[in-house]
Amino acid sequence: MIYNIDYETMPREGLEAIQLRRLQATLERVYASVPFYKKKFESAGITPADITSLDDLRKVPFTTKQDLRDNYPFGMFAVPMDNVVRIHASSGTTGQPTVVGYTARDVSTWAELMARALSAGGATRGDIIHNAYGYGLFTGGLGVHYGAERLGASVIPVSGGNTKRQIVIMRDFGPTILTATPSYTLHLAEVAEEMGIAFDQLSFKYGIFGAEPWSEKMRDEIERKLGIVAVDIYGLSEVMGPGVAIECHEAKNGLHVFEDHFIPEIIDPATGDVLPAGQEGELVFTSLTKEAFPVIRYRTRDISALRTEPCVCGRTHARMQRVSGRTDDMLIIRGVNVFPSQIESVLMETEEVAPHYQLMVDREGNLDTLTVRVEVDEKLFSDEVRKLQAMEKKLAKNIKEMLGVSARVQLVEPKSIERSQGKAVRVIDNRKL
Ligand code: DLL
């Protein structure tokens, strides 16, 4: 059953009417209460009254991560601090963290959207949700938590870490839904195996994974190891947290964006032009209902594409393709553009390598070098050196063929790459030092 089916399956005409009404109200509000936006509008020679259709949104200037940094910590808030009941911050993987605030109504809207998201991912009120997203400034833990309670499910607020204890809880409490980053999920599977507990025999039915890029192959691996259906959930602190978009478990083919609360656009990151449906580019979001921290045409740096054709689940909201990477985590190795997720796809084609890898980028003289460190499974590692060398050669050849970049592949001992309890660290770029 779809939670809040009226909004999820609304005809697009009605949806767009709601979007326009909410957009106009949001623009009026930020213009009146956030000096940054007022200045931006003035520099573009417009006022909120000039926006009379959804297409007019293109007249409004973008907001960037740098703009948020310039207004650190609370300069972008649109309500007095008296009305702010919660503060979160982004993980700051690419620099200074950005700080976001929520009114009581924002927290409630977020809970409602997360209830809708969990429902799309297969959860019902009868489920027990093992929530291994980190609780704290990161939005993952509390975001899922409030959504699970709103849905009426039981939530185990286990957070990240204490991995062995988590496995015992999974065995004893019988949770039916797992929420975690995909990389931490693989770590959980590994520790369960060490403890002699068959992960695929636990009671899980669905897994709702996100907060970092992961490939289709990684999904296959997780579904097989856990014996579940795995869906992709997307979000970012600046726009709300988790629950901006999610795949439905029926199709697992693109993430439905909650368009009654956010307007997504795809732009060419170089020119800023809005791109047509189906074309890949940078995701941009405008929030329609947020009070404390509304964002207008916020450039996420995440790469995706949008499609609006109907889905088998009955939802009418546009779907975004899974995020393949960020404009700022694209590596340029001797002129070739490479995303870590592309390397991941190549590695996962090969059975004997484990889904744990790290990319090391260096500069030798004037030349960039890429080293791919990847773990092999126990069996291969105990084989002779000759076989390992052959495997390194084979992987390097596949990477060269698929991505056009030469890389040195280093097979490393099982369990030697550091495990994350949240987002995995995939790239170590020594060129930036
Ligand atoms: O990662 C919110 C979240 C929590 C989403 C739990 C899903 C589950 P931030 O820490 O602000 O917020 O990081 C946001 O993470 O701009 C993307 O680059 C990346 N990201 C989030 N979800 C996905 C995903 C949370 N499903 C940044 N696929 C975003 C790929 C993702 N990247």
Side-chain angles (χ1 to χ4, degrees):
M1 213 198 63
I2 298 182
Y3 180 88
N4 204 335
I5 193 162
D6 293 347
Y7 275 103
E8 299 271 8
T9 58
M10 179 174 273
R12 290 205 63 86
E13 233 172 56
L15 180 63
E16 284 166 17
I18 291 181
Q19 284 185 316
L20 181 60
R21 206 178 60 234
R22 291 180 168 177
L23 173 66
Q24 287 171 324
T26 300
L27 295 177
E28 293 283 357
R29 232 155 27 77
V30 297
Y31 188 78
S33 55
V34 186
F36 164 83
Y37 284 117
K38 182 156 199 230
K39 258 192 241 144
K40 272 252 163 153
F41 277 57
E42 279 169 358
S43 67
I46 52 169
T47 70
D50 293 318
I51 310 305
T52 57
S53 70
L54 288 175
D55 279 344
D56 282 345
L57 181 58
R58 296 178 188 198
K59 296 180 185 164
V60 180
F62 295 115
T63 306
T64 64
K65 206 172 220 354
Q66 189 56 45
D67 294 328
L68 306 190
R69 287 199 184 122
D70 293 345
N71 289 282
Y72 176 88
F74 304 146
M76 300 290 272
F77 287 14
V79 296
M81 280 312 274
D82 285 17
N83 296 345
V84 173
V85 301
R86 176 95 70 80
I87 290 167
H88 279 286
S90 79
S91 38
T93 40
T94 55
Q96 188 187 3
T98 42
V99 183
V100 298
Y102 304 77
T103 63
R105 211 185 89 181
D106 289 334
V107 171
S108 175
T109 307
W110 186 15
E112 184 68 12
L113 287 178
M114 270 310 301
R116 283 165 61 177
L118 293 168
S119 163
T124 62
R125 23 179 327 120
D127 279 301
I128 303 179
I129 301 180
H130 183 105
N131 183 20
Y133 285 115
Y135 281 63
L137 283 176
F138 175 56
T139 52
L142 286 168
V144 169
H145 187 102
Y146 275 63
E149 289 188 347
R150 177 68 62 94
L151 185 65
S154 318
V155 57
I156 309 174
V158 69
S159 195
N162 272 322
T163 308
K164 282 196 173 136
R165 192 180 62 158
Q166 297 219 15
I167 305 293
V168 174
I169 288 173
M170 286 174 180
R171 187 196 58 198
D172 298 349
F173 297 9
T176 46
I177 309 257
L178 175 60
T179 54
T181 59
S183 58
Y184 188 55
T185 300
L186 287 170
H187 182 47
L188 284 163
E190 187 172 72
V191 173
E193 198 182 313
E194 281 166 15
M195 291 167 70
I197 292 176
F199 218 117
D200 58 352
Q201 300 302 311
L202 297 175
S203 351
F204 289 118
K205 293 181 300 191
Y206 295 102
I208 299 175
F209 306 116
E212 62 185 2
W214 53 309
S215 57
E216 247 350 278
K217 297 263 182 232
M218 182 83 93
R219 181 197 325 254
D220 295 344
E221 172 104 8
I222 290 178
E223 289 192 330
R224 192 176 49 75
K225 281 204 164 126
L226 275 65
I228 57 165
V229 170
V231 304
D232 189 6
I233 181 166
Y234 169 85
L236 62 167
S237 329
E238 299 92 311
V239 175
M240 182 176 76
V244 174
I246 187 162
E247 285 178 328
C248 56
H249 67 89
E250 294 93 340
K252 293 194 294 181
N253 181 7
L255 297 84
H256 293 280
V257 179
F258 292 119
E259 282 187 287
D260 46 333
H261 292 265
F262 312 103
I263 297 182
E265 297 173 276
I266 294 283
I267 62 160
D268 176 333
T271 63
D273 293 339
V274 176
L275 298 175
Q279 225 162 299
E280 212 172 65
E282 179 180 349
L283 256 176
V284 170
F285 282 104
T286 299
S287 61
L288 298 175
T289 49
K290 280 179 69 192
E291 293 183 333
F293 193 85
V295 283
I296 310 297
R297 301 197 87 198
Y298 180 67
R299 292 186 60 158
T300 63
R301 301 182 181 177
D302 290 327
I303 294 160
S304 182
L306 287 169
R307 314 201 303 264
T308 49
E309 70 263 28
C311 180
V312 289
C313 70
R315 286 180 181 78
T316 46
H317 293 199
R319 278 178 279 174
M320 53 179 260
Q321 130 195 329
R322 67 164 59 239
V323 169
S324 53
R326 300 169 54 88
T327 52
D328 50 7
D329 73 14
M330 183 179 77
L331 296 166
I332 305 182
I333 311 287
R334 292 186 301 269
V336 183
N337 300 347
V338 187
F339 285 105
S341 58
Q342 293 176 304
I343 305 249
E344 177 180 304
S345 293
V346 176
L347 297 177
M348 305 273 303
E349 302 266 332
T350 307
E351 236 171 62
E352 297 90 338
V353 305
H356 301 284
Y357 65 94
Q358 211 160 40
L359 313 182
M360 320 279 292
V361 189
D362 281 282
R363 180 158 289 152
E364 285 167 19
N366 287 322
L367 270 192
D368 300 329
T369 61
L370 170 65
T371 306
V372 178
R373 297 179 67 227
V374 58
E375 289 179 13
V376 286
D377 66 18
E378 301 271 1
K379 200 182 123 298
L380 185 73
F381 203 76
S382 56
D383 281 349
E384 324 114 59
V385 178
R386 196 172 44 78
K387 278 201 189 147
L388 289 174
Q389 284 173 342
M391 174 65 74
E392 286 179 342
K393 272 210 188 122
K394 177 178 144 193
L395 288 172
K397 183 167 161 272
N398 289 352
I399 291 173
K400 176 79 191 174
E401 270 176 18
M402 303 293 290
L403 308 177
V405 68
S406 306
R408 185 165 38 173
V409 174
Q410 235 175 41
L411 294 179
V412 298
E413 228 175 298
K415 299 181 187 155
S416 60
I417 291 175
E418 201 188 334
R419 302 292 187 256
S420 80
Q421 293 174 357
K423 303 187 191 227
V425 179
R426 298 292 190 202
V427 180
I428 297 175
D429 193 343
N430 294 318
R431 295 176 302 183
K432 291 183 184 149
L433 294 179

